[in-house]
Amino acid sequence: PTPTPILTPTPHTPGAIIDDFLGDWVNVNPNTSGLTHLIISKISDDAVSVQGFGKCAPKDCDWGEVPAPFHPFQIIAKWEFGFKQTTLTLRREDALLDVTAFDDFPEGDPRQDQITHYFLERSSIPTIRLIATPLINALPEIIVTPNP
C-alpha cells in the first residue's frame, strides 16, 4: 500500500502574508511626539488600507486612510499633507510592527527631510461590533472580540 502523506502546517516568517499586518497597532512609546497608532485593513489579497494617527493635543490627529499595495514582508503607505509628504515603510519584526517614517518637505521649506523609526504593537483593546436586530423594541447584541 502507498502511504498517505500527512499535511502539517508550516510556520511562516511574520510579514510573509497580508494577515500579519492587519489590525490596530499602537506605538510602544506612549510619550512619542510622532506616530501614535495605525489601523490596517484588508482591501484585497494584495492591498490594504492604512489609517495613520499622529500626536496632537488634546487628541491624536487622524491622517486619514490611504490605500497601499502589499508585498510580502513590506507595505509602503504615503500621505500628502500639503506642507510635507510622509511615507511609512511597514515591516514585521517578530510580534512588533517596525515602521520607518520619511518626512519629505518641499523645496524651499527651511526644514530638513527626516527619517524616524517607530515600533508598534497590536492593541489589546477589544474590537466591539454592534449587531442590529430586526425586532422592534429589542436590544441590539454586542459582541466583544479581543484583537489577535
Side-chain angles (χ1 to χ4, degrees):
T2 306
T4 304
I6 299 173
L7 299 176
T8 57
T10 56
H12 71 274
T13 304
I17 61 173
I18 199 168
D19 292 350
D20 292 336
F21 288 91
L22 304 180
D24 190 353
W25 295 87
V26 179
N27 196 322
V28 297
N29 176 4
N31 298 316
T32 184
S33 60
L35 179 69
T36 57
H37 73 280
L38 295 171
I39 300 172
I40 305 173
S41 306
K42 187 174 182 177
I43 295 174
S44 68
D45 288 339
D46 59 357
V48 296
S49 168
V50 182
Q51 184 175 8
F53 295 85
K55 188 70 167 186
C56 289
K59 66 179 192 168
D60 291 344
C61 295
D62 183 346
W63 296 357
E65 290 183 54
V66 296
F70 168 75
H71 301 286
F73 307 106
Q74 180 172 281
I75 293 172
I76 297 176
K78 295 182 182 184
W79 285 264
E80 292 284 350
F81 293 112
F83 63 96
K84 71 174 179 178
Q85 178 187 62
T86 296
T87 302
L88 298 184
T89 302
L90 315 175
R91 295 182 182 94
R92 286 296 306 272
E93 180 70 34
D94 296 320
L96 298 175
L97 188 64
D98 180 350
V99 180
T100 302
F102 176 63
D103 291 319
D104 183 17
F105 294 96
E107 191 173 319
D109 190 299
R111 294 172 287 185
Q112 293 282 342
D113 293 347
Q114 61 185 17
I115 295 174
T116 311
H117 209 78
Y118 303 98
F119 285 100
L120 284 70
E121 61 189 352
R122 283 191 199 271
S123 171
S124 59
I125 299 171
T127 302
I128 299 177
R129 293 183 294 136
L130 190 62
I131 299 176
T133 173
L135 301 175
I136 298 174
N137 297 329
L139 295 175
E141 177 183 3
I142 297 176
I143 298 175
V144 177
T145 309
N147 288 337

